[in-house]
Amino acid sequence: MLEHTIHGDISGTPVLIAHGLYGSGRNWGVIAKRLSATRRVITVDMRNHGHSDWSDDHTYPAMADDLAQVIDHIGAPMDVVGHSMGGKAAMMLALTRPDTLRSLVVGDIAPVAYSHSQMQYIEAMRAVDLAQVTRRSQANDQLAALGVEPALCSFLTQSLDVAEKRWRLNIDVLAQNMPEILSFPEVSTTFEGPVLFLSGAASDYVDRSYRPKILDLFPQAKFAKIPGAGHWLHAEKPREFEQNLTSYLNTISGAHLT
């Protein structure tokens, strides 16, 4: 089972958060803590990330099954939030195990194949001289010198085990599975529950041309954008992301909005 952390103990429908490529549940700690004031929140480390097990299989059906195991263990249904790779895994979960979730929030990704690669970050992490790293800031400096933007330097090094001088990412398997990560499986089912596609206004990951495909799979889908945010919208605009998420979940719950 995926490594996971439960934040809060409030009754009601819990929220499960699935992070994106190269991330971990730790990346969502601040947002999870704030959300846990009104609902129970579960953050997971996806397979080949963080403290979860490593596997040669890094496909979306496998990742969706991982999420289903956590939900089945804690108790279904849940509201599921997924960003990027985690968003695709969450969509796959909704399409294959709709009994596990009440609603779905997809962060800046669509159920389509993308042509861009994320290999540049793997090459940058491989190039870091971990033997010379005794503080996370030193790895940040090396990544910055390799051309990684500052916000992503800090994001990536949250998955660095400084003491063990290793990445808590199965970099080789992620590289081998990059075509699968960038794609999305062909499915013939639909998810009839409520879905919010929340994207960054400065991102091109959820292009308007993708909407017919999205609506084919998720007929109840709604769309919203966060001004000034790019693909990493939860890191760039955490308060705005949290506000949009809370408002949507409250609407799903029929709660009074304040």
Side-chain angles (χ1 to χ4, degrees):
M1 186 183 299
L2 297 179
E3 185 72 21
H4 60 277
T5 301
I6 299 176
H7 308 259
D9 58 0
I10 294 174
S11 61
T13 303
V15 176
L16 182 143
I17 300 176
H19 65 78
L21 185 63
Y22 311 138
S24 69
R26 178 179 176 178
N27 296 136
W28 289 83
V30 173
I31 289 176
K33 183 177 180 180
R34 289 179 60 86
L35 289 173
S36 69
T38 57
R39 48 184 45 88
R40 192 160 39 128
V41 182
I42 296 91
T43 54
V44 301
D45 287 348
M46 303 293 280
R47 63 171 54 199
N48 295 313
H49 292 72
H51 294 281
S52 285
D53 291 340
W54 288 12
S55 169
D56 289 340
D57 184 357
H58 199 82
T59 59
Y60 287 113
M63 286 185 271
D65 185 62
D66 290 341
L67 298 177
Q69 288 183 36
V70 174
I71 295 173
D72 287 340
H73 174 71
I74 296 173
M78 293 188 184
D79 295 315
V80 177
V81 180
H83 171 251
S84 197
M85 178 194 76
K88 284 188 170 182
M91 285 188 278
M92 197 66 191
L93 173 70
L95 293 166
T96 56
R97 284 288 311 276
D99 58 298
T100 61
L101 69 170
R102 179 180 67 166
S103 71
L104 175 63
V105 177
V106 181
D108 209 66
I109 203 74
V112 300
Y114 289 86
S115 59
H116 60 266
S117 177
Q118 300 293 334
M119 282 297 298
Q120 67 269 32
Y121 301 116
I122 285 182
E123 296 306 326
M125 286 185 281
R126 282 173 169 165
V128 172
D129 185 357
L130 295 177
Q132 303 301 316
V133 172
T134 58
R135 299 187 306 276
R136 206 174 301 276
S137 61
Q138 294 171 326
N140 283 345
D141 291 343
Q142 288 193 44
L143 287 170
L146 292 164
V148 179
E149 49 268 49
L152 283 181
C153 291
S154 297
F155 172 82
L156 293 173
T157 56
Q158 286 191 53
S159 291
L160 177 62
D161 186 331
V162 176
E164 295 294 327
K165 298 187 181 298
R166 69 180 187 91
W167 294 98
R168 290 198 183 100
L169 299 166
N170 193 351
I171 290 175
D172 291 342
V173 163
L174 294 176
Q176 293 164 11
N177 283 268
M178 192 60 67
E180 285 76 20
I181 294 170
L182 294 175
S183 68
F184 191 77
E186 287 294 328
V187 291
S188 58
T189 56
T190 61
F191 177 68
E192 301 294 334
V195 183
L196 174 65
F197 282 79
L198 182 59
S199 56
S203 171
D204 60 358
Y205 275 66
V206 188
D207 189 85
R208 184 171 288 273
S209 65
Y210 301 154
R211 288 196 178 186
K213 176 65 173 180
I214 291 171
L215 291 168
D216 280 346
L217 298 176
F218 305 99
Q220 303 303 317
K222 306 295 183 186
F223 300 87
K225 291 183 180 292
I226 297 178
H231 181 61
W232 309 93
L233 67 175
H234 63 292
E236 297 168 15
K237 300 284 185 179
R239 288 297 182 94
E240 292 85 347
F241 183 93
E242 178 206 337
Q243 289 165 0
N244 277 269
L245 176 58
T246 299
S247 177
Y248 184 72
L249 295 178
N250 286 344
T251 300
I252 297 302
S253 300
H256 176 66
L257 301 183
T258 57

